[in-house]
Amino acid sequence: MASVSYEHIYKRFSGDVIAVNDLTLDVQDKEFMVFVGPSGCGKSTSLRLLAGLEEISEGVIKIGDRIVNDVPPKDRDIAMVFQSYALYPHMSVYDNMAFGLKLRKMPKSEIDDKVKDAAETLGISSLLDRKPKALSGGQRQRVAVGRAIVRHPQVFLLDEPLSNLDAKLRVETRANLSRLHQQLETTFIYVTHDQVEAMTMATRIAVLKDGILQQVASPQMLYDHPDNVFVAGFIGSPSMNFFDATLVEQPDTGKMVVDSGSFRLEIPAHQTSDLQPYKGQQIIFGIRPEDIHSAELTPPGVIPARLSATVDVTELMGNEIFVYGLTGSKPFIARVDPRTQVRPGDDIEFNVNMANMHIFDPKTELGIL
């Protein structure tokens, strides 16, 4: 098993396109690192650079203590699972899983043991004689993972491996991959555009945008303390609500409020000192949908900061209701108790949990608190 380090990595394509821009990142041994971001952010390119499928324009990549910039892919001791699974259609499941070991001239008995052990781990022992065309999408995905497992690599690389699966199977396979990581105790680096996959599986998440690393942290840290507006909006589903507002000190009480023109929300006293330098200035106010509650069913412990709105659309999710509303002309979304009586067109009062608010600088888009 091994750690991985990217040291000031650049990848430039023709036409001055920079796909990866000064990526510096350490992946710890046995960690489950997830690269996440929108299409074109450089996450798959970063993975392919590590695999040796793309040439590095500048910088150093290490697997363990070994620099691998000029090491051929087959000698890097990594295994990669692709989005397409890349199975040989004319081979059985057994032969697909054994193929890489046969190329290494491994004894047949050892190959047989490795393939059968991996198949048992993945629950596909009964499929070893089938061809890929006779398998479901989920079964093909497990075969592709099994082909990687038998090699016992230092690092597993997975590039959007769940994107071809239906929603239910993605949930099941997420859990299976997390369980597999615990069993194998191997370094996993996983690429996805789906922040739910990232949040549920990762030890740490690396968020990328336009080839630039935005933040690296545990899922909970990213959720609670995003470094900037992009990370705050990308992590969390539905995404965070943002409002242009001003920090105003009330002359009669000395308390500070967020004033958007449509609402005035009081800031908790313990946070006002950090915001004093921004008094009277424009800010971006962020609040997650789950921190906006209907006034009639606000959970205990939430200090009420009242927001009036008109309901536009509602979506009953079973255990909660998504309320799309307008405060003034500004749209937002709230996740409220399913017992809330609400219909499109209703005027409704919400309580905002200001203890979980986020404040960003509008020029740099960096977090202030």
Side-chain angles (χ1 to χ4, degrees), residues 17 28 59 64 79 88 128 144 154 172-173 177 183 189 200 204 254 265 311 319 359:
V17 175
Q28 300 167 10
Y88 296 107
L128 291 176
Q154 292 191 82
E172 294 175 2
T173 309
L177 285 175
Q183 291 174 356
I189 302 179
T200 52
R204 286 191 302 155
L265 302 174
V311 177
N319 64 328
I359 305 289

Side-chain angles (χ1 to χ4, degrees), residues 93-113:
V93 167
Y94 182 99
D95 289 335
N96 264 283
M97 292 174 64
F99 184 70
L101 304 181
K102 290 177 179 177
L103 290 179
R104 295 182 175 187
K105 309 295 184 182
M106 190 174 287
K108 287 186 178 180
S109 60
E110 190 174 346
I111 292 174
D112 191 62
D113 288 343

Side-chain angles (χ1 to χ4, degrees), residues 85 97 122-124 127 136-147 149 169 173 176:
Y85 311 142
M97 292 174 64
L122 294 165
I124 54 174
L127 307 177
S136 67
Q139 290 169 335
R140 292 178 189 176
Q141 192 268 347
R142 280 183 282 168
V143 173
V145 172
R147 185 175 56 188
I149 288 175
L169 195 53
T173 309
N176 289 336

